[in-house]
Amino acid sequence: MPYPQPLDHFPEAWRPLLPAAVREQVLPRLAARLKQAEAAGEHILPPRTQWFRALDLLAPDAVKVVILGQDPYPTPGNANGLAFSVTPGTEPPRSLKNMFQELESDLGVPRPASGDLSGWAKQGVLLLNTTLTVQADNANSHSAWGWEQVTDALIHGLSERRQGLVFILWGNNARKKLALIDRSRHLVLESAHPSPLSARRGFFGSRPYSQANAWLSRQGVPAINWTGSAA
């Protein structure tokens, strides 16, 4: 199968958020690196058709909330192109279970039955990993390949072009993106990461879901149905 050029799958609606240098230099270099890795037999996750799935499911004007992740789950069969989400029928990893535990505590609702968060995405939640691919069984292996230049441009572009969004930053890696966000225009919610190593250091009890919905309501924007996780 011919290897796709990077813009072949990059959603049209999101292209204006990328500076020319990212479109013309970063993406081609990234595509060449991925092609080389695949030619060497590297198992890359998620599948090619899901690299930009977070962007495929909603246009920039439809975004209400941005939740930043680091990179896709490295376990084959788990990653589906949305940060923290897993393919239907997959047991939720512990970070996602902790997210659901906080959801139940925050809003008093049952934990979602599925770890597939595409229902959130379709309501306006951009579940964006800062690195969009990973080598199977090797977490964070593509972190220096150029993806962050792409996703940083998207975060900054949303901040500049939109008003009244909610940016949810869990953990130190996500908090590094604060400089890209205009806090005079948007709500930024920061806490520890939902990972088992840090969830009890400030994630549990942070109430991100109710805070996000309260902010959206003040903007006159429909709230997110956080229990609607499945597609």
Side-chain angles (χ1 to χ4, degrees), residues 40-87:
E42 182 173 319
H43 184 188
I44 297 173
L45 301 174
R48 296 179 197 172
T49 56
Q50 294 182 337
W51 290 354
F52 302 117
R53 187 162 179 253
L55 308 179
D56 286 331
L57 290 180
L58 72 165
D61 288 347
V63 175
K64 302 177 185 177
V65 179
V66 180
I67 297 180
L68 295 181
Q70 184 169 314
D71 65 338
Y73 294 119
T75 303
N78 280 13
N80 67 359
L82 305 177
F84 297 103
S85 179
V86 291
T87 54

Side-chain angles (χ1 to χ4, degrees), residues 217-230:
S217 295
R218 290 197 295 271
Q219 311 305 308
V221 175
I224 304 297
N225 173 15
W226 295 104
T227 61
S229 61

Side-chain angles (χ1 to χ4, degrees), residues 9-209:
H9 294 300
F10 196 91
E12 185 70 32
W14 289 88
R15 295 186 191 188
L17 276 68
L18 297 180
V22 173
R23 293 195 309 267
E24 298 168 8
Q25 300 174 31
V26 176
L27 280 172
R29 286 199 302 266
L30 181 56
R33 185 88 180 260
L34 289 162
K35 181 177 181 179
Q36 182 181 33
E38 189 174 67
E42 182 173 319
H43 184 188
I44 297 173
L45 301 174
R48 296 179 197 172
T49 56
Q50 294 182 337
W51 290 354
F52 302 117
R53 187 162 179 253
L55 308 179
D56 286 331
L57 290 180
L58 72 165
D61 288 347
V63 175
K64 302 177 185 177
V65 179
V66 180
I67 297 180
L68 295 181
Q70 184 169 314
D71 65 338
Y73 294 119
T75 303
N78 280 13
N80 67 359
L82 305 177
F84 297 103
S85 179
V86 291
T87 54
T90 301
E91 177 73 13
R94 292 186 66 187
S95 291
L96 184 53
K97 287 182 178 179
N98 287 341
M99 289 167 58
F100 288 166
Q101 181 176 330
E102 176 63 17
L103 173 62
E104 183 178 41
S105 173
D106 185 5
L107 295 179
V109 297
R111 303 181 194 188
S114 171
D116 173 19
L117 303 180
S118 56
W120 290 7
K122 292 173 181 177
Q123 295 181 70
V125 181
L126 179 63
L127 295 156
L128 184 67
N129 282 315
T130 55
T131 297
L132 299 186
T133 59
V134 70
Q135 180 182 9
D137 302 315
N138 189 6
N140 213 29
S141 50
H142 292 181
S143 63
W145 286 26
W147 278 123
E148 287 199 11
Q149 292 171 265
V150 177
T151 55
D152 280 1
L154 298 178
I155 296 164
H156 180 66
L158 280 173
S159 175
E160 291 297 302
R161 291 166 180 258
R162 297 290 312 281
Q163 182 78 32
L165 301 183
V166 182
F167 289 85
I168 298 179
L169 310 181
W170 289 329
N172 290 334
N173 283 308
R175 284 169 163 163
K176 292 177 182 177
K177 308 304 179 183
L178 268 173
L180 302 171
I181 303 165
D182 184 347
R183 300 183 77 159
S184 71
R185 298 162 60 90
H186 307 286
L187 175 67
V188 177
L189 301 176
E190 303 177 62
S191 78
H193 194 276
S195 132
L197 298 176
S198 57
R200 298 190 182 279
R201 300 175 187 169
F203 174 75
F204 288 136
S206 62
R207 306 193 67 187
Y209 310 102

